[in-house]
């Protein structure tokens, strides 16, 4: 399979084999591998869950039904594993495919402060973008060296709980250290998994993805306070994270408030948990055509200074609001400090909605 192809051997051995086979230059082979690596992830994001469910149902209707039945039995037995820290695999996180994925854009992780292994953390990741490409590459793989930059810290990228009800996809996500973004999962990691844990929450979620557009830096944060309350209940430090370039890799059709398109998107968001976006990137064979591949624009993820949070079992709304305001101020300061270093003008302002 495509996954095994990229996980076996080193990147250099793959390049050598393809060069010998197709007589291509090293740079052309590298570019093609980068495109393939990103394409497989985009397809995984969009269709893997549904595809695996349909395939499993089909196998149940064939002579190989026993294989599907055994997996379903395992699924029942293993159902609560995502809520208990998952089942990460360093082998999967270190696949060569993720290095090609990183280099396609390229994606870079910037550390600004050390993190203590004696503390737990909640990273607030901004902005969501269409697919959260920077969040995935930086925290669910080792392509940008997160374990080397933050030794002793175990990152858990939180995503929709519905993904973990999909066969095969759930196991694939867990192997990268991805967990459901629900209270049970987060409570377990922050209270029963020791210290040195960092849960990455894309705070703006689906609502933020509806407004992401190239050239615009805005976050949905004013009324997003649940992650602050969780931090207070567990005494987990808050860390603002901003990804410069996350909104640049796709172009989206933005529906105005009150339009039929926005109404449909909000209904999906309310009842299913995600909002369907109409977007496009570049084509598979040409950057001048439309397609599912993101544009190869640099994404730089800056991890800010941790905000020390006290442990309060039942924080009041006043306490939540107080630390939320500190967090918002810290995020804005982080954005202002690094915006000019990553291609934005000094006059650029982070819009907080």
């Amino acid at each position: 399979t495509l996954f095994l192809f990229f996980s076996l051997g080193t990147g250099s051995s793959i390049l050598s084999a393809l060069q010998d086979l197709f007589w291509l230059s090293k740079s052309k082979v590298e570019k093609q591998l980068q495109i393939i690596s990103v394409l497989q992830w985009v397809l995984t994001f969009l269709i893997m869950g549904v595809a695996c469910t349909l395939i499993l149902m089909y196998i149940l209707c064939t002579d190989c039904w026993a294989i599907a039945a055994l997996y379903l039995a395992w699924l029942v037995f293993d159902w609560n594993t995502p809520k208990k820290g998952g089942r990460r695999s360093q082998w999967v996180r270190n696949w060569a495919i993720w290095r090609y994925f990183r280099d396609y854009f390229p994606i870079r992780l910037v550390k600004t402060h050390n993190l203590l292994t004696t503390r737990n953390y909640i990273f607030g990741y901004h902005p969501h973008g269409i697919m959260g490409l920077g969040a995935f590459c930086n925290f669910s793989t080792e392509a940008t060296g997160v374990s080397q930059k933050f030794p002793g810290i175990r990152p858990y990228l939180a995503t929709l709980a519905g993904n973990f009800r999909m066969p095969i996809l759930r196991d694939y996500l867990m192997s990268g250290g991805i967990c459901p973004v629900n209270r049970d999962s987060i409570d377990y990691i922050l209270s029963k998994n020791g210290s040195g844990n960092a849960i990455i929450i894309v705070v703006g979620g689906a609502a933020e993805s509806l407004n992401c557009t190239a050239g615009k830096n805005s976050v949905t944060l004013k009324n997003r306070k649940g992650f602050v309350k969780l931090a207070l209940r567990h005494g987990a430090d808050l860390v603002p994270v901003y990804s410069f370039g996350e909104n640049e890799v796709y172009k989206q059709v933005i529906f105005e408030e009150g339009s039929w398109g926005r109404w449909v998107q909000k209904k999906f968001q309310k009842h299913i948990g995600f909002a369907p976006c109409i977007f496009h990137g570049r084509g598979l064979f040409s950057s001048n055509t439309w397609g599912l591949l993101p544009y190869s624009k640099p994404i730089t993820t800056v991890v800010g200074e941790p905000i020390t949070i006290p442990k309060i079992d039942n924080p009041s709304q006043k306490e939540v609001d107080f630390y939320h305001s500190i967090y918002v101020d810290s995020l804005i300061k982080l954005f202002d400090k690094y915006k000019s270093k990553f291609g934005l003008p000094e006059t650029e302002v982070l819009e907080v909605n």
Side-chain angles (χ1 to χ4, degrees):
T1 67
L2 196 57
F3 301 126
L4 287 176
F5 173 76
F6 277 101
S7 63
L8 293 172
T10 63
S12 58
S13 64
I14 296 172
L15 282 174
S16 298
L18 288 180
Q19 279 182 266
D20 292 341
L21 184 62
F22 297 112
W23 297 92
L24 296 174
S25 68
K26 183 178 180 180
S27 61
K28 288 183 178 179
V29 172
E30 283 185 336
K31 188 60 180 176
Q32 293 307 310
L33 290 176
Q34 290 168 11
I35 289 173
I36 292 170
S37 68
V38 174
L39 179 62
Q40 68 82 26
W41 189 86
V42 170
L43 294 177
T44 295
F45 182 91
L46 295 175
I47 66 172
M48 183 177 179
V50 173
C52 288
T53 302
L54 293 175
I55 291 170
L56 196 67
M57 292 171 62
Y58 171 76
I59 293 175
L60 279 171
C61 301
T62 68
D63 293 338
C64 297
W65 65 268
I67 297 174
L70 283 172
Y71 178 80
L72 289 173
W74 160 253
L75 195 62
V76 172
F77 174 79
D78 195 55
W79 190 253
N80 289 324
T81 298
K83 299 177 183 178
K84 297 181 178 179
R87 188 169 47 244
R88 75 174 55 217
S89 166
Q90 286 302 115
W91 176 65
V92 173
R93 288 175 61 89
N94 281 287
W95 276 357
I97 189 173
W98 308 131
R99 296 194 290 276
Y100 292 113
F101 183 98
R102 171 199 67 197
D103 293 339
Y104 173 85
F105 297 93
I107 296 173
R108 179 186 171 203
L109 180 65
V110 176
K111 169 186 174 180
T112 63
H113 291 79
N114 291 324
L115 299 181
L116 299 175
T117 57
T118 54
R119 300 286 292 173
N120 283 324
Y121 301 90
I122 293 180
F123 287 17
Y125 184 92
H126 313 270
H128 183 287
I130 295 292
M131 297 185 184
L133 294 159
F136 171 79
C137 184
N138 285 307
F139 301 112
S140 294
T141 81
E142 295 296 331
T144 56
V146 63
S147 293
Q148 287 72 45
K149 288 183 169 75
F150 301 104
I153 301 297
R154 293 181 297 277
Y156 293 86
L157 177 60
T159 188
L160 290 175
N163 289 324
F164 296 89
R165 301 186 188 103
M166 301 283 191
I168 310 300
L169 175 63
R170 66 188 293 275
D171 302 288
Y172 187 45
L173 294 177
M174 283 194 290
S175 68
I178 301 177
C179 69
V181 62
N182 58 32
R183 181 170 172 175
D184 289 344
S185 177
I186 294 172
D187 282 348
Y188 183 92
I189 293 171
L190 295 179
S191 64
K192 299 179 181 178
N193 202 42
S195 60
N197 302 292
I199 297 179
I200 297 89
I201 299 177
V202 186
V203 178
E208 190 173 84
S209 68
L210 294 178
N211 294 315
C212 83
T213 184
K216 183 178 180 181
N217 288 281
S218 66
V219 296
T220 302
L221 182 57
K222 278 184 180 178
N223 297 315
R224 299 295 175 106
K225 300 179 181 180
F227 73 106
V228 178
K229 189 173 185 178
L230 280 170
L232 286 165
R233 289 180 62 245
H234 294 284
D237 293 348
L238 289 171
V239 182
V241 179
Y242 197 85
S243 253
F244 294 91
E246 184 74 63
N247 286 345
E248 308 300 316
V249 296
Y250 279 110
K251 294 179 180 178
Q252 181 182 192
V253 176
I254 304 293
F255 293 102
E256 296 296 327
E257 290 292 338
S259 66
W260 67 269
R262 182 55 65 100
W263 180 84
V264 170
Q265 289 176 322
K266 286 188 173 181
K267 286 294 182 182
F268 264 84
Q269 179 188 337
K270 180 179 179 180
H271 298 292
I272 301 178
F274 72 91
C277 301
I278 299 178
F279 65 91
H280 73 84
R282 53 155 289 183
L284 181 60
F285 301 107
S286 171
S287 59
N288 296 320
T289 58
W290 288 10
L292 287 176
L293 276 177
Y295 294 104
S296 52
K297 304 286 186 179
I299 298 174
T300 306
T301 303
V302 184
V303 179
E305 181 178 4
I307 303 164
T308 303
I309 301 295
K311 188 177 187 304
I312 305 174
D313 291 334
N314 294 297
S316 65
Q317 189 59 50
K318 185 177 180 180
E319 289 167 327
V320 172
D321 291 343
F322 174 73
Y323 285 100
H324 181 267
S325 65
I326 292 176
Y327 178 86
V328 173
D329 290 342
S330 296
L331 178 65
I332 293 173
K333 288 177 182 176
L334 179 71
F335 178 84
D336 288 340
K337 182 176 180 180
Y338 289 93
K339 61 186 177 183
S340 62
K341 294 181 180 179
F342 303 119
L344 297 178
E346 282 291 345
T347 54
E348 185 72 18
V349 176
L350 179 62
E351 182 182 323
V352 180
N353 300 312

